[in-house]
Amino acid sequence: MPRLLPDTDLLVSTLLRPALGTGVTVTTEIPDNATSVLPLVIATRIPAGGAVHPRFLDRATVSVEAWHHSKQQASDLAEETRVALYAAWEQQLTTLHGHIAYYDEMAAPAEIRTEDQPAEVFRYQASYVLATRPPL
């Protein structure tokens, strides 16, 4: 059966890759070799939201992490990601996977650290609510 609504992870990563450039790894999961592929952006739909209409409009909450070698670089990458998502909505960029019809920021980019995080890796996380539509 064909998909009615966009795959949010695929749509977001498709929009972010060209906006962030070839030097940034964009993925939907933490790779096993994460610390060796920095700079890294992980964009994943999280359990929240749902379809506004089962055929025409989905509403997804997306978590975006930006990983880099320094705090400033991670902060800058998080901001580049924020700008790329906003620009994709503002310009109504359409991909083969759909487009962003609505953009809202739930949580601004902020540094996160864990006990087992290597000292030379810095991470920023942000959350966005994106309403997505299928391709025309």
Side-chain angles (χ1 to χ4, degrees), residues 22-84:
T22 57
V24 177
T25 302
V26 177
T27 185
T28 59
E29 298 177 345
I30 300 173
D32 291 336
N33 62 339
T35 58
S36 64
V37 295
L38 301 181
L40 171 66
V41 169
I42 305 162
T44 308
R45 182 180 187 147
I46 59 174
V52 175
H53 187 284
R55 180 175 220 101
F56 301 112
L57 187 64
D58 194 12
R59 181 182 52 239
T61 303
V62 177
S63 170
V64 179
E65 290 189 26
W67 297 34
H68 219 309
H69 297 287
S70 76
K71 183 174 180 173
Q72 188 60 56
Q73 288 173 313
S75 174
D76 291 345
L77 182 57
E79 181 62 17
E80 288 175 47
T81 303
R82 175 195 233 173
V83 168

Side-chain angles (χ1 to χ4, degrees), residues 114-133:
T114 59
E115 271 185 37
D116 59 346
Q117 184 173 325
E120 68 278 0
V121 175
F122 294 83
R123 301 185 308 161
Y124 272 67
Q125 181 179 28
S127 297
Y128 304 94
V129 174
L130 305 176
T132 61
R133 290 191 182 274

